[in-house]
Amino acid sequence: MTTPAAPAAPRIPEAVHRRRWAILGVLMLSLLIVVLDNSILNVAIKTISTPAPTGLGATQSELEWAINAYTLVFAGLLFTAGLLGDRVGRKKVLVGGLVVFGLGSALAAESGSPVQLIVFRALMGLGAAFVMPATLAVLMNVFERDEQPKAIGIWAGGVGLAIAIGPITGGLLLDHFWWGSVFLVNVPIVIIAVVLMLALVPDSRDPRPGRIDLVGVALSVVGLVLLVYGIIKGGQLADFTDPAVLGTIGAGLVVLVAFVLYEKRSDHPSIDIRYFKNKVFSAAIAAIALVFFALMGVTFFSVFYTQSVRGYSPLQTGLLMLPLAAAQLIFAPRARLVVDRFGVRAVTTGGLVLLAAMLAAFMILDADTPIWILEVIFFLMGTGMAHVMTPTSVVIMQALPREKAGSASALSNTFRQVGGALGIAVLGSVLSTAYRSGIQDKLGLLPPGLRHTAGESIEATLGIAAKLGPRGDALVGAANDSFLHAMHVTALCGAGVALASAVVTALFLPGHAPEAPVEESTEETVRAGR
């Protein structure tokens, strides 16, 4: 008989191990700020689209850019942020990102125009890019492998908590203060998070980091901006065959192809293309990207449904979204138990099928559907999301060695944010195009100069109808009908994307969690207390 191997020595210093749950709490607070900002903005977009002094009078395309300026900078710099954290220390990067995010929030609150808001949202995205991957990378370096699924589940549940708190907080603020308060609220949370970070969170880094890939960063940002700008412009014009639209989208795709080719040849790439030779890793990344493509696009139009069509206030809209967040908060930390019993493939595929069904269920909603039906749809959407995010995050983070935690986290968050940005751009453009085609015939009585503006979104139509007084009453019903039709078309597209993601996970994800990768080094530095 052979002598049994001695159990592996703990990789985490005892001082760090003892306070690992407190550290997770601080990481979740940092995550909360980043996620909460977008969920707050979701209930504020209608207010921001209202003309001054109530809002900024932002058009639908400007609203999409206010969201996507943040997301594009965030996604484009996540590659570098993950590598920089691995190189100079994840705690340093996290604290620096929080400070930049807080500064951007304060400036966004004082924006005097949609353009200023877009610029300051981009600054917030810069800070967030250094926060999000660092939280998950630090988590992987303060928990042993056997506790990582539980910790990641709680981390994912924190996203649900932020989604719950965001709309309600936003609604309360908008009921009592001006629209900028939804950004200013981030500042005190940032201050608290930075103080706790300095006191509790250990620093860690890769003992063999790569160089920063400046060319790759530039190519990824330029390619994404061109691609998303072209998609948004196509929706704004309701014409994707316009030469300017096709040229911009084509240029974006060419730059992104150049980015991939450059990364394959680089000796210090932002993305190590070899990671994607692992089918399990690639399937999990694709699932995250596609699910956020569908979810972010649908969430974008659901706010207009509840506020513009149904007449609910921002606070009421926030409360209506509570079941979506509550389901994630309840099920995300427990998803690992379901995975232990049924396997990664079955749980993730089932979650995606449930999400697709709920997106398709938006087709039954109209102007007087009982609101409890929307609540059930939101709850089941959140349930499906919880059973997708937790297992795929675990698969991605455990597919690479611990030393590459920053890179793995950056990849996961990059594809999630790119998926969300494209979801808002593509499904937002589908919504805009379908709405314009539905309302166009009803705008014949308006002066020629107002027809194009009125057809851009339901808010634009309702704004012009209000200025016309009694003569505009007929436009209100037409606007609601056209929006509902556009919402149904968009929801069906989102459901199709979620189903495509389910096919990917069913084909390529493993039945059970993959084996631990070989660690590249036993010298991973974790310095307690700094």
Side-chain angles (χ1 to χ4, degrees), residues 2 28 93 111 117 136 144 152 168 217 220 250 301 399 431 451 520 522 527:
T2 58
M28 287 178 62
V93 164
S111 299
L117 178 61
L136 200 48
E144 297 289 355
I152 291 174
I168 295 170
V217 171
S220 65
F301 71 64
L431 181 74
R451 289 176 196 167
E520 292 187 3
T522 59
R527 297 190 300 277

Side-chain angles (χ1 to χ4, degrees), residues 183-394:
F183 298 110
L184 198 60
V185 71
N186 293 329
V187 176
I189 305 176
V190 164
I191 294 171
I192 294 169
V194 168
V195 171
L196 292 174
M197 192 79 57
L198 294 173
L200 290 173
V201 176
D203 208 350
S204 62
R205 59 178 169 226
D206 185 349
R208 293 185 306 209
R211 288 183 290 148
I212 301 301
D213 176 20
L214 296 176
V215 175
V217 171
L219 288 173
S220 65
V221 173
V222 171
L224 286 170
V225 169
L226 287 172
L227 177 62
V228 175
Y229 178 80
I231 293 169
I232 292 175
K233 192 66 177 176
Q236 186 181 2
L237 298 175
D239 182 10
F240 282 88
T241 63
D242 184 276
V245 173
L246 289 175
T248 307
I249 292 175
L253 292 173
V254 168
V255 173
L256 290 175
V257 169
F259 167 71
V260 172
L261 294 175
Y262 178 82
E263 296 298 285
K264 289 178 70 174
R265 290 167 172 77
S266 174
D267 59 358
H268 58 286
S270 292
I271 296 180
D272 191 335
I273 303 299
R274 292 174 298 177
Y275 294 158
F276 293 93
K277 293 180 179 179
N278 182 332
K279 291 182 180 179
V280 172
F281 181 85
S282 296
I285 286 283
I288 282 182
L290 291 173
V291 78
F292 269 81
F293 179 99
L295 186 74
M296 291 296 288
V298 171
T299 303
F300 183 76
F301 71 64
S302 68
V303 173
F304 288 99
Y305 170 71
T306 54
Q307 293 189 41
S308 299
V309 177
R310 302 301 298 263
Y312 289 102
S313 69
L315 175 58
Q316 290 170 326
T317 296
L319 292 171
L320 287 173
M321 296 178 72
L322 195 56
L324 174 67
Q328 290 192 63
L329 189 60
I330 292 167
F331 293 112
R334 295 170 174 78
R336 64 188 175 84
L337 303 176
V338 186
V339 170
D340 289 343
R341 180 168 182 179
F342 298 105
V344 175
R345 182 193 302 127
V347 173
T348 305
T349 304
L352 286 165
V353 170
L354 177 60
L355 180 63
M358 290 307 100
L359 293 174
F362 270 86
M363 295 185 66
I364 68 174
L365 300 178
D366 56 32
D368 54 7
T369 301
I371 203 64
W372 65 264
I373 294 178
L374 178 64
E375 298 299 89
V376 171
I377 291 173
F378 275 154
F379 184 81
L380 293 177
M381 282 177 66
T383 302
M385 280 290 296
H387 289 90
V388 174
M389 286 304 302
T390 298
T392 52
S393 295
V394 171

Side-chain angles (χ1 to χ4, degrees), residues 149-196:
K150 181 179 180 181
I152 291 174
I154 295 172
W155 180 89
V159 176
L161 179 64
I163 294 173
I165 294 173
I168 295 170
T169 304
L172 285 169
L173 290 170
L174 291 172
D175 272 3
H176 296 92
F177 304 102
W178 93 116
W179 64 267
S181 61
V182 302
F183 298 110
L184 198 60
V185 71
N186 293 329
V187 176
I189 305 176
V190 164
I191 294 171
I192 294 169
V194 168
V195 171
L196 292 174

Side-chain angles (χ1 to χ4, degrees), residues 32-249:
L32 180 79
I33 302 167
V34 176
V35 179
L36 179 135
D37 177 72
N38 269 339
S39 59
I40 280 183
L41 186 59
N42 280 338
V43 299
I45 53 178
K46 181 178 183 295
T47 304
I48 294 172
S49 69
T50 306
T54 303
L56 292 176
T59 65
Q60 181 159 318
S61 60
E62 287 171 335
L63 289 173
E64 290 178 18
W65 272 110
I67 296 171
N68 283 332
Y70 175 93
T71 305
L72 285 175
V73 174
F74 188 10
L77 292 178
L78 275 169
F79 305 141
T80 301
L83 285 172
L84 192 62
D86 288 345
R87 184 183 183 90
V88 305
R90 291 145 190 157
K91 177 179 177 177
K92 297 182 185 71
V93 164
L94 226 173
V95 171
L98 285 171
V99 171
V100 173
F101 184 86
L103 176 63
S105 298
L107 292 171
E110 299 299 326
S111 299
S113 69
V115 172
Q116 287 185 8
L117 178 61
I118 291 167
V119 170
F120 294 138
R121 286 279 296 163
L123 181 62
M124 293 170 67
L126 173 64
F130 290 87
V131 173
M132 181 72 89
T135 61
L136 200 48
V138 170
L139 181 155
M140 297 298 289
N141 282 278
V142 298
F143 285 91
E144 297 289 355
R145 184 179 174 87
D146 61 340
E147 283 190 320
Q148 286 171 2
K150 181 179 180 181
I152 291 174
I154 295 172
W155 180 89
V159 176
L161 179 64
I163 294 173
I165 294 173
I168 295 170
T169 304
L172 285 169
L173 290 170
L174 291 172
D175 272 3
H176 296 92
F177 304 102
W178 93 116
W179 64 267
S181 61
V182 302
F183 298 110
L184 198 60
V185 71
N186 293 329
V187 176
I189 305 176
V190 164
I191 294 171
I192 294 169
V194 168
V195 171
L196 292 174
M197 192 79 57
L198 294 173
L200 290 173
V201 176
D203 208 350
S204 62
R205 59 178 169 226
D206 185 349
R208 293 185 306 209
R211 288 183 290 148
I212 301 301
D213 176 20
L214 296 176
V215 175
V217 171
L219 288 173
S220 65
V221 173
V222 171
L224 286 170
V225 169
L226 287 172
L227 177 62
V228 175
Y229 178 80
I231 293 169
I232 292 175
K233 192 66 177 176
Q236 186 181 2
L237 298 175
D239 182 10
F240 282 88
T241 63
D242 184 276
V245 173
L246 289 175
T248 307
I249 292 175

